[in-house]
Structure formats: C-alpha cells, structure tokens
C-alpha cells in the first residue's frame, strides 16, 4: 500500500514538533485511543506500537477494519456521518501524537517556511489513509472468499495482471479475515477454474 517515502516521513515528524501544538500520549493494551464520534476533529500519528480500527454495527457485530502501525495516521474527519460505531484501540503499548485539525490548518506564529509543506504532507497521509479505509470497507462487503481474493489481487496487480507475493500467505489470509487453509483451498479452486495462474511468488489474474 502506498505511503510517504522515508525522507518525507522524517521531515514531517521533525517539522511537526517545531511549529504545531501537539500532544503525546502512551496507551497500553486494549485501551481506547480515539472514537470517531467526538465533535472536535482530531488527527493521530503513531510513533511507536500498533493499533486496530474497529467497527461495531447496529446488531453489535464487531469487525477489525484495519491494522495500524508505526508512521500510520488516522483521523475522525472522514467518519462524522457513519451510522456504525468506529473507534481505535491499542494493540500493546502504543505511543501516539495528537494534532488538532484547526490548529494545523492555521499558520503558525512564527510563519515558518516549512508549515505549508507540513500541511501538504499531512493531507497526503490522510488521503492515503482514506483510500485504505475505503478499500477495507469494500473488501468486507464481498460475500465469498473468492470475491475477496479477486478484489485483493486486482487492487495490487501490475499492468500485466501479475500480483507479486511479497509477504506470507498467512498475512494475506489475516487481511482477508479468513484462515490460511481456507485461503489456499480457494486459490487452488480458482486456479482450476482458470481465474488465476500461480507460480512460485507470483499470481496472474486472468479476468
């Protein structure tokens, strides 16, 4: 999944503490980091640790929408009108920097030259985050494992319809919310149907 390059990330973190009022907080395992319902718009940036974006629908069904890790950003900007309860919980000890949205978009007192670049980097991160959220929501709407796999592969294939397996199948299975055995079984079925072709570390999509 696309993210900012390492140089821009380092610059972002350095400039963040220089010209924007931020608050840092450490959370321990299974602590609530942020709900998407507060009126005050918040932006969070994980500096250490991991967290999960969790959704609970009206029937009480809970789903982990996405895993967050170091250098990931999150915000309640995009979920103000959601009917489901969406919140973020820590996964082990997690350190987070909180940025107030309105404070961020205002010019800093020193009129520092890098403030505009800081805002651009922040919104690039937010756009990436929003795309990841939308992808996970679309993925969760798929009814069958085959549909989930095809959607996952098509989002990541190159111009030759090739998906390169750069992680473990266990990690892919966890992302798709299926067990590894089920994933491998479905891939075998899809190969027999002619939907895909598998080689050592690549999968070709035929549709």
């Amino acid at each position: 999944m696309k993210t900012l390059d390492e140089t821009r990330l380092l610059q972002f973190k350095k400039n963040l503490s220089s010209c924007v009022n931020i608050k840092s907080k450490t959370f321990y395992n299974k602590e609530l980091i942020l709900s998407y319902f507060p009126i005050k718009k918040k932006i969070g940036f994980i500096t250490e640790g991991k967290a999960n974006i969790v959704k609970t629908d009206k029937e009480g069904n809970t789903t982990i929408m996405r895993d967050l890790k170091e250098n990931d950003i999150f915000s309640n900007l995009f979920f103000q009108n959601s009917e489901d309860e969406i919140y973020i919980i820590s996964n082990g000890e997690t350190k987070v920097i909180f940025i107030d949205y309105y404070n961020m978009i205002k010019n800093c007192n020193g009129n520092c030259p890098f403030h505009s670049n800081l805002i651009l980097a922040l919104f690039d991160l937010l756009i990436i985050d929003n795309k990841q959220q939308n992808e996970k929501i679309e993925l969760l709407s798929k009814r069958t494992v085959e549909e989930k796999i095809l959607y996952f592969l098509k989002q990541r294939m190159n111009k030759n319809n090739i998906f390169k397996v750069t992680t473990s199948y266990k990690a892919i299975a966890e992302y798709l919310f299926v067990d590894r055995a089920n994933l491998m079984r479905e891939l075998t079925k899809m190969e027999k149907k002619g939907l895909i072709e598998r080689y050592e570390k690549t999968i070709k999509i035929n549709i």
Side-chain angles (χ1 to χ4, degrees), residues 9-97:
L9 272 172
L10 289 172
Q11 195 173 40
F12 171 79
K13 288 193 280 189
K14 179 182 177 182
N15 294 345
L16 189 62
S17 59
S18 300
C19 70
V20 178
N21 291 327
I22 60 174
K23 293 182 179 179
S24 300
K25 188 173 180 180
T26 299
F27 297 88
Y28 298 95
N29 196 38
K30 304 301 179 185
E31 280 196 86
L32 176 67
I33 295 176
L34 179 69
S35 167
Y36 280 101
F37 285 109
I39 296 174
K40 195 171 185 181
K41 295 178 173 64
K42 287 286 186 181
I43 298 165
F45 185 79
I46 296 179
T47 57
E48 290 183 38
K50 298 178 182 179
N52 303 117
I53 301 179
V54 180
K55 180 182 75 170
T56 302
D57 62 24
K58 293 179 180 179
E59 286 72 40
N61 300 310
T62 298
T63 304
I64 296 176
M65 296 176 62
R66 190 157 65 87
D67 298 322
L68 298 171
K69 60 186 183 306
E70 184 178 340
N71 292 331
D72 278 344
I73 201 164
F74 55 86
S75 174
N76 54 4
L77 291 169
F78 303 112
F79 289 89
Q80 297 298 308
N81 299 317
S82 175
E83 294 183 357
D84 298 323
E85 183 181 358
I86 302 173
Y87 49 96
I88 295 176
I89 58 173
S90 56
N91 186 356
E93 185 173 332
T94 306
K95 295 182 180 179
V96 179
I97 290 175

Side-chain angles (χ1 to χ4, degrees), residues 80-137:
Q80 297 298 308
N81 299 317
S82 175
E83 294 183 357
D84 298 323
E85 183 181 358
I86 302 173
Y87 49 96
I88 295 176
I89 58 173
S90 56
N91 186 356
E93 185 173 332
T94 306
K95 295 182 180 179
V96 179
I97 290 175
F98 286 103
I99 312 158
D100 186 273
Y101 170 75
Y102 295 108
N103 177 267
M104 182 70 189
I105 62 176
K106 291 188 297 185
N107 287 329
C108 61
N109 295 330
N111 291 318
C112 57
F114 51 71
H115 191 84
S116 59
N117 290 331
L118 183 62
I119 293 174
L120 288 173
L122 175 69
F123 277 94
D124 281 345
L125 282 167
L126 287 172
I127 289 168
I128 292 167
D129 175 74
N130 196 37
K131 287 180 179 178
Q132 291 173 334
Q133 297 282 17
N134 290 337
E135 178 183 317
K136 202 58 180 277
I137 290 169

